[in-house]
Amino acid sequence: MAGYDYDLFVIGGGSGGVRAARVAAALGKRVAIAEEYRFGGTCVIRGCVPKKLYVYASQFPEHFADAAGYGWTVPEASFDWQTLVANKDKEIARLEAIYKRNVEGSGGETFHSRAVLVDRHSIYLVAEDRTVSADQILIATGGRPAPHPALSGHEYCIFSNEAFDLKELPKAIVIEGGGYIAVEFANIFHGLGVDTTLVYRGQEILSRFDIDLRRSLHETMEKKGIRILCHAVSESVRKTAEGRLDVQLNTGQTLTADQVMLAIGRIPNTENMGLEGVGIELGKTGAIVVDQYSRTNIDNIWAIGDVTHRVQLTPVAIHEAICFIETAFKDNPTAPDHDTIPTAVFSQPEIGTVGLSEDDAIKRYPDVEIYRASFRPMRHTLSGRDEKMLIKLVVDGASRKVIGAHILGPDAGEMAQLLGIPLKAGLTKDDFDRTMAVHPTAAEELVTMYKPTYRVKNGERV
Ligand SMILES: Cc1cc2nc3c(=O)[nH]c(=O)nc-3n(C[C@H](O)[C@H](O)[C@H](O)COP(=O)(O)OP(=O)(O)OC[C@H]3O[C@@H](n4cnc5c(N)ncnc54)[C@H](O)[C@@H]3O)c2cc1C
């Protein structure tokens, strides 16, 4: 080991890479990390963090409108996009500095450079024009929005990266995609007053989530004024004489907008990094293939986070980093646990979910009980807002275990975090029933739905 410059070299300073570098350095290992863009990675610079700040920004018009029912008179509000962008920039710069400082404070070395593999122990730092060596190498280079070169006029389109920093707020936007990023941005732009259309080729937005939530969210978004066109695909994007964009759909419809945002998936960052030269195995989508311990086919090279295309979420990348440290540096082989991951969609209303959807549960269990409550949350009574909350539990009839919990409504993401604990612990519906309600809350429905709304036995609803 002494023959190498470092015990560990990490490529990519995002959620996973920074955590691994920091923890390894704190263990006394000689660690370096290279980041080609900005420390903090996707989550901090152009993902979770700025996204959530923009979600907050976009919720104010509804808060202002809801206030009237509670006796408030709110003067006509105005919004300044440039202020939001500048304040967001300040916050992410603060976080970026913390990420970098955390590595350096633990004794790690940071490089602002693209890193490319030369051989299984050597890394070329482009900005420094030099090669360093390491005993172990961790690739945590994340992913980026999938391009759409087949779309005529794709060069006029933006991705989530650019959406955060537009010079001005568009009057109208078309967002192509039906995943959580497309849905969240549709709500953000609509909330900020932009005429918003979501174009999705599938039957219903947010595939893989519980169908009840998908349909209810779709309905609510449309009620707010977001146009959602399912079974639709953009065929071309053309610049008009007025400098706007005409989007021609396969349905024959033409939409006119100022921005077209593509959110059709994300692809791993594995190109031009010397991976093929070193012989690292890549999967069909270009993701790095790893074993259960995040080790590649080259035994001193590891990969974690989005670049492995397992579960593309920040806490998962961080968890994989911690497991990697246990395995590689603490002689404690630890495989990341990807089972029962709670997650949220910061749509408006929010989705919070953990465990199996109803459809997935009935494929795996012969007897499934569904507990379902749909109601107007208390805060929408005086506000008069016509929006329902949906709470649903999916229970295995044989073991009584709660195997899925799905919420659509205010603070659903916060609830999903708490529900992650009993579901991970394998608690039963009886445990939920024995738990005292907190009143008056919306979440109390989780422990007061005593009778199943319906059962599904061998695929038949009874
Ligand atoms: C719009 C958006 C919203 C999201 N919202 C959420 C959310 O609400 N909750 C959630 O859990 N997840 C969310 N995610 C996903 C989350 O951001 C990712 O899962 C997470 O950032 C993955 O971490 P990572 O360490 O694998 O990669 P990243 O955070 O992407 O970091 C990889 C880093 O590697 C750098 N890099 C790449 N190649 C090289 C190279 N050759 N040399 C040096 N550096 C390199 C990149 O510049 C990047 O900084 C969101 C993502 C997006 C795009």
Side-chain angles (χ1 to χ4, degrees), residues 9-19 33-52 111-117 123-126 139-145 160-161 164 180-182 184-185 261 266 269-273 304-308 311-318 320 342-346:
F9 195 99
V10 181
I11 307 181
S15 307
V18 164
R19 179 60 61 97
I33 180 169
E35 166 56 50
E36 69 175 345
Y37 182 55
R38 293 178 69 179
F39 279 93
T42 303
C43 176
V44 172
I45 308 298
R46 41 199 184 184
C48 334
V49 173
K51 183 264 308 274
K52 190 84 188 274
F111 292 105
H112 260 293
S113 172
R114 182 166 176 79
V116 176
L117 285 181
I123 307 105
Y124 175 65
L125 295 171
V126 177
I139 303 172
T141 48
R144 62 183 188 283
S160 58
N161 287 352
F164 287 117
Y180 81 93
I181 293 177
E184 289 175 339
F185 271 96
M261 173 177 151
R266 293 180 58 81
N269 285 328
T270 49
E271 284 143 5
N272 307 318
M273 273 189 59
I304 54 165
D306 284 7
V307 75
T308 62
V311 181
Q312 294 158 290
L313 291 170
T314 286
V316 176
I318 292 172
E320 289 169 1
T343 187
V345 178
F346 295 100

Coordinates of all heavy atoms in Angstrom, one line a residue, residues 9-19 33-52 111-117 123-126 139-145 160-161 164 180-182 184-185 261 266 269-273 304-308 311-318 320 342-346, ligand 1:
F9 N -8.7 6.7 -3.7 CA -9.0 7.8 -4.5 C -10.4 7.7 -5.0 O -10.9 6.7 -5.5 CB -8.1 7.8 -5.8 CG -8.1 9.2 -6.4 CD1 -7.1 10.1 -6.2 CD2 -9.2 9.6 -7.2 CE1 -7.1 11.4 -6.8 CE2 -9.2 10.8 -7.8 CZ -8.2 11.7 -7.6
V10 N -11.2 8.8 -4.7 CA -12.6 8.8 -5.0 C -12.8 9.7 -6.3 O -12.3 10.9 -6.3 CB -13.4 9.4 -3.9 CG1 -14.9 9.4 -4.2 CG2 -13.2 8.5 -2.6
I11 N -13.5 9.2 -7.3 CA -13.8 10.0 -8.4 C -15.3 10.5 -8.3 O -16.2 9.6 -8.4 CB -13.5 9.3 -9.8 CG1 -12.1 8.7 -9.8 CG2 -13.8 10.2 -11.0 CD1 -11.8 7.9 -11.1
G12 N -15.5 11.8 -8.2 CA -16.9 12.3 -8.1 C -17.2 12.8 -6.7 O -17.2 12.0 -5.7
G13 N -17.4 14.1 -6.6 CA -17.6 14.7 -5.2 C -19.1 15.0 -5.0 O -19.5 16.0 -4.5
G14 N -19.9 14.0 -5.2 CA -21.4 14.1 -4.9 C -21.7 13.4 -3.6 O -20.8 13.2 -2.7
S15 N -23.0 13.1 -3.5 CA -23.5 12.5 -2.2 C -22.7 11.3 -1.7 O -22.2 11.2 -0.6 CB -24.9 12.1 -2.3 OG -25.7 13.1 -2.9
G16 N -22.5 10.4 -2.6 CA -21.8 9.1 -2.3 C -20.3 9.3 -2.1 O -19.7 8.9 -1.1
G17 N -19.7 10.0 -3.1 CA -18.2 10.1 -3.1 C -17.7 10.9 -1.9 O -16.7 10.5 -1.2
V18 N -18.4 12.0 -1.6 CA -17.9 12.8 -0.5 C -18.1 12.1 0.8 O -17.2 12.1 1.7 CB -18.7 14.2 -0.4 CG1 -18.6 14.9 0.9 CG2 -18.3 15.1 -1.5
R19 N -19.2 11.3 1.0 CA -19.3 10.6 2.3 C -18.2 9.6 2.4 O -17.6 9.4 3.5 CB -20.7 9.9 2.3 CG -20.9 9.1 3.6 CD -20.8 10.0 4.9 NE -21.8 11.0 4.9 CZ -23.0 11.0 5.5 NH1 -23.3 9.9 6.2 NH2 -23.8 12.0 5.5
I33 N -10.0 13.1 -3.4 CA -11.3 13.0 -4.1 C -11.2 14.1 -5.2 O -10.7 15.2 -5.0 CB -12.5 13.3 -3.2 CG1 -13.8 13.2 -4.0 CG2 -12.4 14.5 -2.4 CD1 -15.0 13.1 -3.1
A34 N -11.6 13.7 -6.4 CA -11.6 14.7 -7.5 C -13.1 15.0 -7.9 O -13.9 14.0 -8.1 CB -10.9 14.1 -8.7
E35 N -13.4 16.2 -8.1 CA -14.7 16.7 -8.6 C -14.5 17.6 -9.8 O -13.8 18.6 -9.6 CB -15.5 17.3 -7.5 CG -16.7 18.1 -7.9 CD -17.7 17.3 -8.7 OE1 -18.1 16.2 -8.2 OE2 -18.1 17.7 -9.8
E36 N -15.1 17.3 -10.9 CA -14.9 18.1 -12.1 C -15.7 19.4 -12.1 O -15.4 20.3 -12.8 CB -15.1 17.3 -13.4 CG -16.5 16.9 -13.6 CD -16.7 16.2 -15.0 OE1 -15.7 16.3 -15.8 OE2 -17.7 15.6 -15.2
Y37 N -16.9 19.4 -11.4 CA -17.8 20.5 -11.5 C -17.8 21.2 -10.1 O -17.0 22.1 -9.8 CB -19.1 20.1 -12.0 CG -20.1 21.2 -12.2 CD1 -19.9 22.3 -13.0 CD2 -21.4 21.1 -11.6 CE1 -20.8 23.3 -13.2 CE2 -22.3 22.1 -11.8 CZ -22.0 23.2 -12.5 OH -23.0 24.2 -12.7
R38 N -18.8 20.8 -9.3 CA -18.9 21.5 -8.0 C -19.1 20.4 -6.9 O -19.9 19.5 -7.1 CB -20.0 22.5 -8.0 CG -19.8 23.6 -8.9 CD -21.0 24.6 -8.9 NE -21.1 25.3 -7.7 CZ -22.1 26.2 -7.5 NH1 -23.0 26.5 -8.4 NH2 -22.2 26.8 -6.3
F39 N -18.4 20.5 -5.8 CA -18.6 19.6 -4.7 C -20.0 19.7 -4.2 O -20.6 20.8 -4.1 CB -17.5 19.9 -3.6 CG -16.2 19.3 -3.9 CD1 -15.2 20.0 -4.5 CD2 -16.0 17.9 -3.5 CE1 -14.0 19.4 -4.8 CE2 -14.7 17.3 -3.8 CZ -13.7 18.1 -4.5
G40 N -20.5 18.5 -3.8 CA -21.9 18.5 -3.4 C -22.7 17.6 -4.4 O -23.7 17.0 -4.1
G41 N -22.2 17.7 -5.7 CA -22.8 16.8 -6.8 C -24.2 17.2 -7.1 O -24.7 18.3 -6.9
T42 N -24.9 16.3 -7.7 CA -26.3 16.5 -8.3 C -27.2 17.0 -7.2 O -27.9 18.0 -7.3 CB -26.8 15.3 -8.9 OG1 -25.9 14.8 -9.9 CG2 -28.2 15.5 -9.5
C43 N -27.2 16.3 -6.1 CA -28.2 16.6 -5.0 C -28.1 18.0 -4.6 O -29.1 18.7 -4.5 CB -28.0 15.6 -3.8 SG -29.1 16.0 -2.5
V44 N -26.9 18.5 -4.3 CA -26.8 19.8 -3.7 C -26.8 20.9 -4.8 O -27.4 22.0 -4.6 CB -25.4 19.9 -2.9 CG1 -25.1 21.3 -2.5 CG2 -25.4 19.0 -1.7
I45 N -26.2 20.7 -5.9 CA -26.0 21.7 -6.9 C -27.2 21.8 -7.8 O -27.6 22.9 -8.2 CB -24.7 21.5 -7.7 CG1 -23.5 21.3 -6.7 CG2 -24.5 22.7 -8.6 CD1 -23.2 22.5 -5.8
R46 N -27.7 20.7 -8.3 CA -28.8 20.7 -9.3 C -29.8 19.6 -9.2 O -30.2 19.0 -10.2 CB -28.3 20.8 -10.7 CG -27.1 19.9 -11.0 CD -26.3 20.4 -12.2 NE -25.2 19.5 -12.5 CZ -24.4 19.8 -13.5 NH1 -24.5 20.8 -14.3 NH2 -23.4 18.9 -13.8
G47 N -30.1 19.2 -7.9 CA -31.1 18.2 -7.7 C -31.9 18.5 -6.5 O -32.6 19.5 -6.4
C48 N -31.9 17.6 -5.5 CA -32.8 17.6 -4.3 C -32.9 19.0 -3.7 O -34.0 19.5 -3.4 CB -32.3 16.7 -3.3 SG -31.4 15.2 -3.8
V49 N -31.7 19.6 -3.4 CA -31.7 20.8 -2.6 C -32.4 22.0 -3.3 O -33.4 22.6 -2.9 CB -30.3 21.2 -2.1 CG1 -30.3 22.5 -1.4 CG2 -29.8 20.1 -1.1
P50 N -31.8 22.4 -4.5 CA -32.5 23.5 -5.2 C -33.9 23.2 -5.6 O -34.8 24.1 -5.6 CB -31.6 23.8 -6.5 CG -30.8 22.5 -6.6 CD -30.6 21.9 -5.3
K51 N -34.2 22.0 -5.9 CA -35.5 21.5 -6.3 C -36.5 21.8 -5.1 O -37.5 22.5 -5.3 CB -35.5 20.1 -6.6 CG -36.8 19.4 -7.1 CD -37.6 18.7 -6.0 CE -37.0 17.7 -5.1 NZ -36.9 16.4 -5.7
K52 N -36.1 21.4 -3.9 CA -37.0 21.6 -2.7 C -37.2 23.1 -2.5 O -38.3 23.6 -2.1 CB -36.4 20.9 -1.5 CG -37.4 20.8 -0.3 CD -38.3 19.7 -0.4 CE -39.4 19.7 0.7 NZ -39.0 19.1 1.9
F111 N -9.4 17.7 -5.1 CA -9.0 18.2 -6.4 C -10.2 18.7 -7.2 O -11.2 18.0 -7.3 CB -8.3 17.1 -7.3 CG -7.0 16.6 -6.7 CD1 -6.9 15.4 -6.0 CD2 -5.8 17.4 -6.8 CE1 -5.7 15.0 -5.5 CE2 -4.6 17.0 -6.2 CZ -4.6 15.8 -5.6
H112 N -10.0 19.9 -7.8 CA -11.0 20.4 -8.7 C -10.6 20.0 -10.1 O -10.0 20.7 -10.8 CB -11.1 21.9 -8.6 CG -12.3 22.3 -7.8 ND1 -13.6 22.1 -8.2 CD2 -12.4 22.9 -6.6 CE1 -14.4 22.5 -7.3 NE2 -13.7 23.0 -6.3
S113 N -11.0 18.8 -10.5 CA -10.5 18.3 -11.8 C -11.3 17.1 -12.2 O -11.9 16.4 -11.4 CB -9.0 17.8 -11.6 OG -8.6 17.2 -12.8
R114 N -11.4 16.9 -13.5 CA -11.9 15.7 -14.1 C -10.8 14.6 -13.8 O -9.6 14.9 -13.9 CB -12.2 15.8 -15.6 CG -12.8 14.6 -16.2 CD -13.3 14.9 -17.6 NE -13.8 13.6 -18.2 CZ -14.9 13.1 -17.9 NH1 -15.8 13.6 -17.0 NH2 -15.3 11.9 -18.5
A115 N -11.3 13.4 -13.5 CA -10.4 12.3 -13.2 C -10.7 11.2 -14.2 O -11.8 10.9 -14.5 CB -10.5 11.8 -11.8
V116 N -9.6 10.6 -14.7 CA -9.8 9.5 -15.7 C -8.9 8.4 -15.3 O -7.7 8.6 -14.9 CB -9.3 10.1 -17.1 CG1 -9.4 9.0 -18.2 CG2 -10.2 11.3 -17.6
L117 N -9.4 7.2 -15.5 CA -8.5 6.0 -15.1 C -7.5 5.7 -16.1 O -7.8 5.8 -17.3 CB -9.4 4.8 -14.9 CG -10.3 4.7 -13.7 CD1 -11.1 3.4 -13.7 CD2 -9.4 4.8 -12.4
I123 N -4.7 7.3 -11.7 CA -5.8 8.2 -12.1 C -5.1 9.4 -12.7 O -4.2 10.0 -12.1 CB -6.6 8.6 -10.9 CG1 -7.1 7.3 -10.1 CG2 -7.8 9.5 -11.3 CD1 -6.3 7.1 -8.9
Y124 N -5.6 9.8 -13.9 CA -5.0 11.1 -14.5 C -6.0 12.2 -14.1 O -7.2 12.2 -14.3 CB -5.0 10.9 -16.0 CG -4.5 12.1 -16.7 CD1 -3.3 12.7 -16.5 CD2 -5.4 12.8 -17.6 CE1 -2.9 13.8 -17.2 CE2 -5.0 14.0 -18.3 CZ -3.7 14.5 -18.1 OH -3.3 15.6 -18.7
L125 N -5.4 13.3 -13.5 CA -6.1 14.5 -13.2 C -6.0 15.5 -14.3 O -4.9 16.1 -14.5 CB -5.6 15.0 -11.8 CG -5.8 14.1 -10.6 CD1 -5.1 14.6 -9.4 CD2 -7.3 13.9 -10.3
V126 N -7.0 15.7 -15.0 CA -7.0 16.5 -16.2 C -6.5 18.0 -15.9 O -5.6 18.5 -16.6 CB -8.3 16.5 -16.9 CG1 -8.3 17.4 -18.2 CG2 -8.7 15.1 -17.3
I139 N -15.5 4.8 -7.7 CA -16.1 5.6 -8.8 C -17.5 6.0 -8.3 O -18.3 5.1 -8.0 CB -16.2 4.9 -10.1 CG1 -14.8 4.4 -10.5 CG2 -16.8 5.7 -11.2 CD1 -14.7 3.5 -11.7
A140 N -17.7 7.3 -8.2 CA -19.0 7.8 -7.7 C -19.4 9.0 -8.6 O -19.6 10.1 -8.1 CB -18.9 8.2 -6.2
T141 N -19.4 8.8 -9.9 CA -19.6 9.9 -10.8 C -21.0 10.2 -11.2 O -21.3 11.1 -12.0 CB -18.8 9.6 -12.1 OG1 -19.1 8.3 -12.6 CG2 -17.3 9.6 -11.9
G142 N -22.0 9.5 -10.6 CA -23.4 9.9 -10.7 C -23.9 9.8 -12.1 O -23.5 8.9 -12.9
G143 N -24.9 10.6 -12.4 CA -25.6 10.5 -13.8 C -26.0 11.9 -14.2 O -25.7 12.9 -13.6
R144 N -26.6 11.9 -15.4 CA -27.0 13.2 -16.0 C -28.3 12.9 -16.8 O -28.6 11.8 -17.1 CB -25.9 13.8 -16.9 CG -25.6 12.9 -18.1 CD -24.4 13.5 -18.9 NE -24.2 12.8 -20.1 CZ -23.6 11.6 -20.2 NH1 -23.1 11.0 -19.1 NH2 -23.4 11.0 -21.4
P145 N -29.0 14.0 -17.1 CA -30.3 13.8 -17.9 C -30.0 13.1 -19.2 O -29.0 13.4 -19.9 CB -30.7 15.2 -18.1 CG -30.1 16.1 -17.1 CD -28.7 15.4 -16.8
S160 N -33.3 19.4 -16.6 CA -33.5 19.9 -15.2 C -32.3 20.8 -14.8 O -32.5 21.8 -14.2 CB -33.6 18.8 -14.2 OG -32.5 17.9 -14.3
N161 N -31.1 20.5 -15.3 CA -29.9 21.3 -15.0 C -30.1 22.8 -15.3 O -29.9 23.7 -14.5 CB -28.7 20.8 -15.7 CG -28.1 19.5 -15.2 OD1 -28.6 19.0 -14.2 ND2 -27.2 18.9 -15.9
F164 N -33.0 25.2 -13.5 CA -32.8 25.9 -12.2 C -32.2 27.3 -12.5 O -32.3 28.2 -11.6 CB -31.7 25.1 -11.4 CG -32.3 23.9 -10.8 CD1 -31.7 22.7 -11.1 CD2 -33.3 24.0 -9.8 CE1 -32.2 21.5 -10.5 CE2 -33.8 22.8 -9.2 CZ -33.2 21.6 -9.6
Y180 N -40.6 11.4 -11.6 CA -40.8 12.3 -10.5 C -40.2 13.7 -10.8 O -40.8 14.7 -10.4 CB -40.3 11.7 -9.1 CG -38.8 11.8 -8.9 CD1 -38.3 12.8 -8.2 CD2 -38.0 10.8 -9.3 CE1 -36.9 12.9 -7.9 CE2 -36.6 10.8 -9.1 CZ -36.1 11.9 -8.4 OH -34.7 11.9 -8.1
I181 N -39.1 13.7 -11.6 CA -38.5 15.0 -11.9 C -39.4 15.8 -12.7 O -39.7 17.0 -12.5 CB -37.1 14.8 -12.5 CG1 -36.2 14.2 -11.4 CG2 -36.5 16.1 -13.0 CD1 -34.8 13.9 -12.0
A182 N -40.0 15.2 -13.8 CA -41.0 15.9 -14.6 C -42.2 16.4 -13.9 O -42.6 17.6 -14.0 CB -41.4 14.9 -15.8
E184 N -42.4 17.0 -10.6 CA -42.1 18.0 -9.6 C -41.9 19.3 -10.3 O -42.4 20.4 -9.8 CB -40.8 17.6 -8.9 CG -41.0 16.5 -7.9 CD -39.8 16.0 -7.2 OE1 -38.7 16.2 -7.7 OE2 -39.9 15.3 -6.2
F185 N -41.2 19.3 -11.4 CA -41.0 20.6 -12.1 C -42.3 21.2 -12.7 O -42.5 22.4 -12.8 CB -39.9 20.4 -13.2 CG -38.5 20.7 -12.7 CD1 -37.7 19.6 -12.3 CD2 -38.0 22.0 -12.6 CE1 -36.4 19.9 -11.8 CE2 -36.8 22.2 -12.1 CZ -36.0 21.2 -11.7
M261 N -38.7 21.4 -21.7 CA -37.8 20.7 -20.8 C -38.0 19.2 -21.0 O -39.1 18.7 -20.9 CB -38.1 21.1 -19.3 CG -37.3 20.3 -18.3 SD -37.6 20.8 -16.6 CE -37.3 19.3 -15.8
R266 N -32.4 9.4 -16.7 CA -31.1 9.8 -16.4 C -30.1 8.7 -16.8 O -30.5 7.5 -16.7 CB -30.9 10.2 -15.0 CG -31.7 11.5 -14.6 CD -31.5 12.0 -13.2 NE -30.2 12.2 -12.8 CZ -29.5 13.3 -13.0 NH1 -30.0 14.3 -13.7 NH2 -28.3 13.5 -12.5
N269 N -22.8 8.5 -15.7 CA -21.6 9.2 -16.2 C -20.4 8.2 -16.2 O -19.7 8.1 -15.3 CB -21.2 10.3 -15.3 CG -22.1 11.5 -15.4 OD1 -22.6 11.8 -16.5 ND2 -22.3 12.3 -14.3
T270 N -20.3 7.5 -17.4 CA -19.2 6.5 -17.5 C -18.4 6.7 -18.8 O -17.6 5.9 -19.1 CB -19.8 5.1 -17.4 OG1 -20.9 5.0 -18.4 CG2 -20.3 4.7 -16.1
E271 N -18.7 7.8 -19.5 CA -18.1 7.9 -20.8 C -16.7 8.6 -20.7 O -16.6 9.5 -19.8 CB -18.9 8.7 -21.8 CG -20.1 7.8 -22.3 CD -21.3 8.6 -22.5 OE1 -21.3 9.9 -22.3 OE2 -22.4 8.0 -22.8
N272 N -15.8 8.3 -21.5 CA -14.5 9.0 -21.6 C -13.8 9.0 -20.3 O -13.2 10.1 -19.9 CB -14.6 10.4 -22.2 CG -15.4 10.3 -23.5 OD1 -15.1 9.5 -24.3 ND2 -16.3 11.3 -23.7
M273 N -13.9 8.0 -19.5 CA -13.3 8.0 -18.2 C -12.2 6.9 -18.1 O -11.8 6.5 -17.0 CB -14.3 7.7 -17.2 CG -15.0 8.9 -16.7 SD -16.1 8.5 -15.3 CE -14.9 7.8 -14.1
I304 N -20.3 3.3 -6.5 CA -21.5 3.5 -5.7 C -22.4 4.6 -6.3 O -21.9 5.4 -7.2 CB -21.2 3.9 -4.3 CG1 -20.3 5.1 -4.2 CG2 -20.6 2.7 -3.5 CD1 -20.2 5.8 -2.9
G305 N -23.6 4.6 -5.9 CA -24.5 5.8 -6.3 C -25.1 5.6 -7.7 O -25.2 4.5 -8.2
D306 N -25.5 6.7 -8.2 CA -26.3 6.7 -9.5 C -25.5 6.0 -10.7 O -26.1 5.6 -11.6 CB -26.6 8.1 -9.9 CG -27.8 8.7 -9.1 OD1 -28.2 8.0 -8.1 OD2 -28.3 9.8 -9.4
V307 N -24.2 6.1 -10.6 CA -23.4 5.5 -11.7 C -23.6 4.0 -11.8 O -23.3 3.4 -12.9 CB -21.9 5.9 -11.6 CG1 -21.2 5.1 -10.5 CG2 -21.2 5.7 -12.9
T308 N -24.1 3.4 -10.8 CA -24.4 1.9 -10.8 C -25.8 1.6 -11.2 O -26.2 0.5 -11.3 CB -24.1 1.3 -9.4 OG1 -24.9 1.8 -8.4 CG2 -22.6 1.5 -9.0
V311 N -30.5 2.2 -7.2 CA -31.7 3.1 -6.8 C -31.1 4.5 -6.8 O -30.2 4.8 -6.1 CB -32.2 2.7 -5.4 CG1 -33.4 3.6 -5.0 CG2 -32.6 1.2 -5.4
Q312 N -31.7 5.4 -7.6 CA -31.1 6.7 -7.8 C -31.6 7.7 -6.8 O -32.5 8.5 -7.1 CB -31.3 7.1 -9.2 CG -30.5 6.3 -10.2 CD -31.1 6.4 -11.6 OE1 -32.2 5.9 -11.8 NE2 -30.4 7.0 -12.5
L313 N -31.2 7.6 -5.6 CA -31.6 8.5 -4.5 C -30.4 8.9 -3.7 O -29.5 8.0 -3.4 CB -32.7 7.9 -3.6 CG -34.0 7.6 -4.2 CD1 -34.9 6.8 -3.3 CD2 -34.7 9.0 -4.6
T314 N -30.3 10.1 -3.1 CA -29.2 10.5 -2.3 C -29.0 9.6 -1.1 O -27.8 9.2 -0.9 CB -29.4 12.0 -1.9 OG1 -29.2 12.8 -3.1 CG2 -28.5 12.4 -0.8
P315 N -30.0 9.4 -0.3 CA -29.7 8.5 0.9 C -29.2 7.2 0.5 O -28.4 6.6 1.3 CB -31.0 8.4 1.6 CG -31.9 9.6 1.1 CD -31.4 9.8 -0.3
V316 N -29.5 6.7 -0.6 CA -29.1 5.3 -1.1 C -27.6 5.4 -1.4 O -26.8 4.6 -1.0 CB -29.9 4.8 -2.3 CG1 -29.3 3.5 -2.8 CG2 -31.4 4.6 -1.8
A317 N -27.2 6.5 -2.1 CA -25.8 6.7 -2.5 C -24.9 6.8 -1.2 O -23.8 6.2 -1.1 CB -25.6 7.9 -3.3
I318 N -25.5 7.5 -0.2 CA -24.7 7.7 1.1 C -24.6 6.3 1.8 O -23.6 6.0 2.3 CB -25.4 8.7 2.0 CG1 -25.3 10.1 1.3 CG2 -24.9 8.7 3.4 CD1 -26.1 11.2 1.9
E320 N -24.7 3.4 0.5 CA -23.7 2.5 -0.3 C -22.3 2.9 0.1 O -21.4 2.1 0.1 CB -24.0 2.6 -1.8 CG -25.3 1.9 -2.2 CD -25.8 2.2 -3.6 OE1 -25.1 2.9 -4.4 OE2 -26.8 1.7 -4.0
P342 N -38.1 4.2 1.8 CA -39.1 5.2 1.8 C -38.7 6.3 0.9 O -37.5 6.6 0.7 CB -39.2 5.7 3.3 CG -38.0 5.3 3.9 CD -37.3 4.2 3.1
T343 N -39.7 6.9 0.2 CA -39.3 8.0 -0.7 C -40.5 9.0 -0.9 O -41.6 8.7 -0.5 CB -38.9 7.4 -2.1 OG1 -38.4 8.5 -2.9 CG2 -40.0 6.7 -2.8
A344 N -40.2 10.1 -1.5 CA -41.2 11.2 -1.6 C -41.2 11.7 -3.0 O -40.1 11.7 -3.7 CB -41.0 12.3 -0.6
V345 N -42.3 12.2 -3.5 CA -42.3 13.0 -4.7 C -42.8 14.4 -4.2 O -43.9 14.5 -3.7 CB -43.3 12.4 -5.8 CG1 -43.4 13.3 -7.0 CG2 -42.9 11.0 -6.1
F346 N -42.0 15.4 -4.5 CA -42.4 16.7 -4.0 C -43.3 17.4 -5.0 O -43.0 18.5 -5.5 CB -41.2 17.5 -3.6 CG -40.5 16.9 -2.4 CD1 -39.4 16.1 -2.6 CD2 -41.0 17.0 -1.2 CE1 -38.8 15.5 -1.5 CE2 -40.4 16.4 -0.1 CZ -39.3 15.6 -0.3
Ligands
LIG1 C1 -33.7 17.3 -10.4 C2 -33.3 16.3 -9.5 C3 -34.0 16.1 -8.3 C4 -33.6 15.1 -7.4 N1 -34.3 15.0 -6.2 C5 -34.0 14.1 -5.3 C6 -34.7 14.0 -4.1 O1 -35.6 14.8 -3.8 N2 -34.3 13.0 -3.2 C7 -33.3 12.1 -3.5 O2 -33.0 11.3 -2.6 N3 -32.7 12.2 -4.7 C8 -33.0 13.1 -5.6 N4 -32.3 13.2 -6.7 C9 -31.3 12.2 -7.0 C10 -30.0 12.5 -6.3 O3 -29.5 13.8 -6.7 C11 -28.9 11.5 -6.8 O4 -29.4 10.2 -6.5 C12 -27.6 11.6 -6.0 O5 -27.1 12.9 -6.2 C13 -26.6 10.5 -6.4 O6 -25.4 10.7 -5.8 P1 -24.0 10.2 -6.5 O7 -23.0 10.5 -5.4 O8 -24.2 8.9 -7.0 O9 -23.8 11.2 -7.7 P2 -23.8 12.8 -7.9 O10 -24.4 13.5 -6.7 O11 -24.4 13.0 -9.2 O12 -22.3 13.1 -7.9 C14 -21.4 12.7 -9.0 C15 -20.4 13.8 -9.1 O13 -19.3 13.3 -9.9 C16 -18.8 14.3 -10.7 N5 -18.1 13.7 -11.8 C17 -18.6 13.0 -12.9 N6 -17.6 12.5 -13.7 C18 -16.4 12.9 -13.1 C19 -15.1 12.7 -13.4 N7 -14.7 11.9 -14.4 N8 -14.1 13.3 -12.6 C20 -14.5 14.0 -11.6 N9 -15.7 14.3 -11.2 C21 -16.7 13.7 -12.0 C22 -20.0 15.1 -11.1 O14 -19.7 16.4 -11.5 C23 -20.9 15.1 -9.8 O15 -20.6 16.2 -9.0 C24 -32.6 14.2 -7.7 C25 -31.9 14.3 -8.9 C26 -32.3 15.3 -9.8 C27 -31.5 15.4 -11.1

